[in-house]
Amino acid sequence: MAYDATTLPDVSGLTVGIIGGTGDQGRGLAYRFARAGQSVLIGSRTAERASQAAAEIAALPGVPDGTVVTGGDNEDVARRSDVVIVAVPWDGHAATVAALAEPLAGKIVVDCVNPLGFDKQGPYALDVPEGSAVQQAAGLLPESRVCAAFNHVSAPLLADPQIDRIDLDVLICTEDREVAGVVAALAARIPGMRGIYAGRLRNAHQIEAFTANLIAINKRYKAHAGIRVTDL
């Protein structure tokens, strides 16, 4: 079936929490959702650092007056959010996710972590015993509704107040089509973005790994490349 944005649910009233919201990717996503008027909670290991980041994001150009952007420690944000995005470094992924299993029970959890290594030849995909970062998260969060999304969104583009549109597709992998619809609707809150269902969690490995190719493209062409799926 061709892409049809009119079928997406209304997600304007949902609170989006971002675990790792003080990092580049987390801050960028927080800014874009806040700019769309979405309520956003910034999570970090320390509430003070998260609150500082939230105040900085709320003050950026384009964020509507009255938009809720607050911070807290990761557990607090996990409990208070409707949808939680995990945007932490890969080396801390398992420990961070496992520690939040109880407050994330019943929540939609969006994992955008890419397991990559770097050497003199550039970035490369790491082997993950579970298959992918999102499959690792799903194993650690048996009571949550887990998906992969936002893996290929450029942090510099997200953070640039001068950019009004980010024209790319967000590939969504999940076992739960209802979750895919919610996440696609959140992606659509950012002008230019589309959320595209891209298969079950087992298909996430190549999506996470493809980030290494995008980094190489960006380095070669001095760009901030993304993905657009044709014929949809």
Side-chain angles (χ1 to χ4, degrees):
M1 184 175 100
Y3 177 84
D4 184 358
T6 65
T7 65
L8 298 176
D10 179 9
V11 295
S12 59
L14 298 182
T15 297
V16 177
I18 302 182
I19 304 301
T22 58
D24 292 343
Q25 193 78 0
R27 283 178 68 107
L29 287 168
Y31 172 48
R32 289 294 157 174
F33 286 126
R35 188 162 163 156
Q38 203 83 32
S39 295
V40 177
L41 301 180
I42 305 296
S44 184
R45 285 176 293 180
T46 64
E48 294 78 11
R49 187 180 180 196
S51 296
Q52 180 181 352
E56 293 169 354
I57 291 167
L60 288 172
V63 177
D65 291 340
T67 301
V68 175
V69 186
T70 59
D73 63 49
N74 286 332
E75 181 176 350
D76 176 59
V77 166
R79 291 188 186 281
R80 294 167 55 202
S81 302
D82 300 305
V83 177
V84 176
I85 298 174
V86 178
V88 299
W90 169 242
D91 59 4
H93 181 264
T96 300
V97 171
L100 298 174
E102 188 271 326
L104 288 177
K107 305 289 179 75
I108 293 176
V109 178
V110 182
D111 198 301
C112 68
V113 176
N114 300 309
L116 300 179
F118 296 85
D119 60 19
K120 292 181 179 179
Q121 296 182 351
Y124 60 94
L126 296 174
D127 290 328
V128 180
E130 297 86 350
S132 62
V134 71
Q135 287 172 294
Q136 182 183 86
L140 295 169
L141 302 173
E143 303 301 321
S144 300
R145 306 170 72 187
V146 179
C147 78
F150 300 108
N151 301 81
H152 298 149
V153 184
S154 166
L157 290 185
L158 291 170
D160 189 343
Q162 302 301 314
I163 295 176
D164 295 324
R165 293 178 57 86
I166 302 179
D167 291 303
L168 55 76
D169 289 334
V170 172
L171 303 182
I172 304 167
C173 289
T174 181
E175 312 300 317
D176 188 328
R177 292 297 187 94
E178 184 180 359
V179 167
V182 170
V183 177
L186 285 171
R189 299 277 286 165
I190 302 173
M193 279 193 193
R194 297 188 308 176
I196 304 295
Y197 176 69
R200 296 177 179 273
L201 291 180
R202 69 181 185 181
N203 292 326
H205 165 72
Q206 55 264 35
I207 290 175
E208 295 171 2
F210 189 67
T211 304
N213 299 83
L214 287 175
I215 293 171
I217 290 168
N218 289 337
K219 182 178 180 180
R220 172 65 178 83
Y221 296 101
K222 297 180 173 57
H224 299 292
I227 290 176
R228 182 65 97 187
V229 178
T230 61
D231 201 32
L232 283 182

